[in-house]
């Protein structure tokens, strides 16, 4: 009895249709491919400010920079010669120090306060409260039940600390926020010396790690989806050895490639679209948006992005800057520790090599006989050739008798070089590994807060940059008529009491003045009733 495969059955039941794009659609795809190749060319270049690679023979590309940052964080030893008797030592200083940065940054995550102003530049308390509640609701339900905005923010901060740059895409699906982290490898832009992503001439996201069935769930209702067949990925990226492994953990025959493209609408065209009623009058900017899946264009060539805010839906933030702060990509914590780590690990590897070769020294025999190497296994008896004497075996001349104090002093000096290259431990807010007075502990804690606050500002900048578009899109897709009531518990009321603050969205059409007064009296009586009951 065979078990049916619903996924395979879905593919088999589909009737393949040939995709024949119109002239404007064909031109759109070719232009997108050209822009992608141009963007990819500058992304694959080696940049001096990224520093040399681990071999020291060449400058690093962005991909090498990210790979080495992740390798340093994971403390993975490099690929080595199998004949090397010692695996290169890899310390955990980058990982541990990075974690000490990540943890307080995540703790710093808070919802930004929202203050709404009307056309007279006066604070609108109702809209301010509404915006705050809707923003909290959006983050709390971002990805539920499997996730939420808090757990996702930890992922975003982790990426920003380890790789130096993080991209977050914020979409509104069925009225709810759906944010996702965009791997840096998927982002393609035309200008690496324009740090503001919103000022880029275009934005391309190339997503490869997607199965056909995920795509069917997301794009299945689009008419052109019927032309998409899994596995038929065009040669955009996968033939380039510089790009990371695309099919890690996903079968090629079940994969699709999703290419999202955003372009700004020119100002002259924006006026034309507003004039013919395509766009609303209050819109200040707009973007063209399209998706190419396995070479199939999903929307018409002149399709507009549905969000009225007009920003790219992907927000970017850097943790630290390189020597040129106008560089689009950011520096990572692990990269800053990299040179100290290499210096320290190099000395540690030499000492481990010397210790190992002293513990298991290579031997010479003088009678021409061979003794198997298994003699190094404890407790194992190995037969020696008849007539062999102990003096027939000798240690290879020049082999040390172990690690001495002078060599350990050199290792301590290597660690001292690292300490001298950074602020003092107390100034940096680190544990000095000695007894401290209460005042010294307070000073160290204050120094920690000062250092962390500078990094926390970058996290706050990311949250604030996302907040305006999220609120704008929530109000766009959650119009007031669909919300009957907003309830905010534990609010300070005008009379100084703490209670639930309710905002009721209800329009009483045709109500006379007397009826409005009566309605107000009824609401006042209801308030008095709750005051007496203490509710």
């Amino acid at each position: 009895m065979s078990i049916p495969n619903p996924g395979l059955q879905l593919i088999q039941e589909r009737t393949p249709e040939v995709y024949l794009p119109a002239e404007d659609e064909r031109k759109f795809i070719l232009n997108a491919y050209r822009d992608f190749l141009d963007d990819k060319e500058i992304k694959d270049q080696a940049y001096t400010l990224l520093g040399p690679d681990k071999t020291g023979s060449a400058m690093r590309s962005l991909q090498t920079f990210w790979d080495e940052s992740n390798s340093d964080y994971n403390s993975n030893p490099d690929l080595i010669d199998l004949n090397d008797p010692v695996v290169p030592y890899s310390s955990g200083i980058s990982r541990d120090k990075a974690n000490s940065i990540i943890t307080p940054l995540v703790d710093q995550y808070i919802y930004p306060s929202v203050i709404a102003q009307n056309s007279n530049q006066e604070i609108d308390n109702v809209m301010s409260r509404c915006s705050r509640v809707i923003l909290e609701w959006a983050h709390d339900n971002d990805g539920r039940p499997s996730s939420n905005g808090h757990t996702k923010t930890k992922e975003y901060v982790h990426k920003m600390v380890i790789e130096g740059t993080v991209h977050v895409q914020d979409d509104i699906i069925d009225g709810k926020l759906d944010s996702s982290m965009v791997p840096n490898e998927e982002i393609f832009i035309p200008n690496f010396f324009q740090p503001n992503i919103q000022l880029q001439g275009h934005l391309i996201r190339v997503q490869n790690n997607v199965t056909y069935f995920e795509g069917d769930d997301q794009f299945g209702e689009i008419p052109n989806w019927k032309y998409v067949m899994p596995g038929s990925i065009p040669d955009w990226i996968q033939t380039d050895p510089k790009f990371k492994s695309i099919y890690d953990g996903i079968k090629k025959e079940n994969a699709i490639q999703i290419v999202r493209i955003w372009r700004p609408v020119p100002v002259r065209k924006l006026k034309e679209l507003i004039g013919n009623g395509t766009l609303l009058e209050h819109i200040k900017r707009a973007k063209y948006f399209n998706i190419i899946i396995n070479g199939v264009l999903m929307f018409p060539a002149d399709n507009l992005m549905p969000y009225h805010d007009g920003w790219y839906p992907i927000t970017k933030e850097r943790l630290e800057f390189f020597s040129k702060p106008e560089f689009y990509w950011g520096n990572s914590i692990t990269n800053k520790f990299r040179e100290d780590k290499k210096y320290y690990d190099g000395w540690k590897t030499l000492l481990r090599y010397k210790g190992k070769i002293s513990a298991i020294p290579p031997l010479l025999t003088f009678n021409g006989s061979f003794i198997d190497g298994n003699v190094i296994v404890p407790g194992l008896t190995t037969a020696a050739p008849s007539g062999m004497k102990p003096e027939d075996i000798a240690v290879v001349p020049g082999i040390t008798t172990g690690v001495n104090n002078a060599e350990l002093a050199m290792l301590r000096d290597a660690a001292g070089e690292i300490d001298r290259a950074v602020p003092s431990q107390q100034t940096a807010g680190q544990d000095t590994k000695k007894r401290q007075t209460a005042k010294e502990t307070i000073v160290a804690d204050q120094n920690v807060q000062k250092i962390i606050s500078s990094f926390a500002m970058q996290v706050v900048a990311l949250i604030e940059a996302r907040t305006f578009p999220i609120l704008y899109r929530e109000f766009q897709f959650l119009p007031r008529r669909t919300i009957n009531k907003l309830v905010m518990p534990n609010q300070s009321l005008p009379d100084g009491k703490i209670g639930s603050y309710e905002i009721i969205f209800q329009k009483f059409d045709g109500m006379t003045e007397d009826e409005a007064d009566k309605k107000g009296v009824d609401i006042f009586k209801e308030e008095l009733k709750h005051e007496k009951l203490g509710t």
Side-chain angles (χ1 to χ4, degrees), residues 171-206:
D171 287 317
I172 303 297
I173 300 177
D174 296 330
K176 293 183 179 180
L177 173 65
D178 182 25
S179 71
S180 61
M181 182 171 62
V182 182
N184 293 323
E185 292 83 2
E186 295 181 3
I187 294 294
F188 294 88
I189 53 174
N191 186 1
F192 277 9
F193 286 91
Q194 170 51 263
N196 189 342
I197 190 174
Q198 300 297 341
L199 298 181
Q200 292 289 337
H202 63 255
L203 176 61
I204 300 176
R205 179 187 180 185
V206 181

Side-chain angles (χ1 to χ4, degrees), residues 121-161:
Q121 300 303 308
E122 297 172 343
I123 295 178
D124 189 327
N125 291 321
V126 173
M127 283 303 298
S128 297
R129 291 177 183 268
C130 287
S131 300
R132 173 75 180 192
V133 173
I134 289 177
L135 183 63
E136 290 188 10
W137 175 81
H139 282 291
D140 287 341
N141 291 277
D142 182 8
R144 283 194 182 276
S146 59
S147 183
N148 59 41
H150 299 278
T151 57
K152 287 185 177 183
T153 299
K154 185 175 181 180
E155 297 175 8
Y156 306 154
V157 172
H158 183 92
K159 172 71 77 172
M160 185 167 66
V161 171

Side-chain angles (χ1 to χ4, degrees), residues 293-535:
I293 304 179
N294 283 14
V296 178
L297 195 64
M298 291 290 103
F299 304 110
D302 59 349
N303 182 66
L304 291 169
M305 186 177 69
Y307 303 133
H308 291 170
D309 57 88
W311 299 112
Y312 291 126
I314 295 179
T315 304
K316 181 218 74 172
E317 189 52 72
R318 299 171 291 177
L319 180 73
E320 288 201 76
F321 308 135
F322 286 100
S323 56
K324 293 186 176 182
E326 65 270 24
F327 193 57
Y328 178 87
W329 304 96
N331 201 357
S332 67
I333 288 294
T334 46
N335 182 62
K336 295 193 70 175
F337 300 143
R338 174 172 170 258
E339 293 305 321
D340 290 342
K341 185 177 186 296
K342 284 172 57 180
Y343 183 57
Y344 181 80
D345 290 353
W347 278 107
K348 202 63 176 281
T349 300
L350 287 175
L351 292 186
R352 292 177 72 243
Y353 179 85
K354 186 176 182 182
K356 187 170 183 178
I357 206 171
S358 299
I360 313 172
L363 305 176
L364 295 174
T365 61
F366 300 104
N367 64 356
S369 299
F370 173 74
I371 298 178
D372 187 78
N374 285 333
V375 292
I376 66 172
V377 178
L380 181 66
T381 302
T382 301
S386 177
M388 177 173 283
K389 301 175 183 179
E391 56 267 23
D392 291 335
I393 302 175
V395 177
V396 175
I399 296 301
T400 180
T401 56
V403 178
N404 56 43
N405 288 332
E407 290 157 343
L408 291 176
M410 294 176 70
L411 181 63
R412 287 193 293 269
D413 184 65
E417 287 287 343
I418 297 176
D419 290 339
R420 285 188 290 274
V422 297
S424 67
Q425 289 180 310
Q426 189 178 48
T427 302
Q430 300 175 12
D431 182 9
T432 59
K433 301 187 183 301
K434 68 175 185 179
R435 297 185 65 180
Q436 293 178 313
T437 64
K439 186 174 182 179
E440 288 176 329
T441 303
I442 294 174
V443 170
D445 183 66
Q446 290 175 341
N447 290 335
V448 170
Q449 297 302 321
K450 291 177 182 178
I451 294 174
I452 292 299
S453 64
S454 64
F455 295 108
M457 290 175 63
Q458 301 298 109
V459 178
V460 172
L462 174 66
I463 302 301
E464 289 181 344
R466 297 174 56 206
T467 296
F468 176 77
I470 289 174
L471 275 176
Y472 202 110
R473 293 162 197 168
E474 286 288 2
F475 280 117
Q476 178 185 343
F477 291 101
L478 278 176
R480 189 169 65 178
R481 62 177 177 273
T482 64
I483 306 175
N484 294 322
K485 182 193 299 185
L486 286 179
V487 181
M488 291 163 282
N490 301 321
Q491 295 290 311
S492 297
L493 303 180
D495 58 0
K497 297 181 180 179
I498 302 297
S500 295
Y501 193 96
E502 296 184 359
I503 301 176
I504 301 174
F505 295 93
Q506 187 176 359
K507 188 175 182 180
F508 300 100
D509 295 324
M511 181 179 291
T512 64
E513 186 175 347
D514 291 339
E515 291 172 336
D517 290 341
K518 185 178 183 302
K519 185 67 176 179
V521 172
D522 292 338
I523 294 176
F524 179 68
K525 289 180 179 179
E526 189 71 16
E527 291 180 355
L528 293 177
K529 175 183 174 182
H530 284 285
E531 283 186 5
K532 291 180 180 180
L533 296 175
T535 58

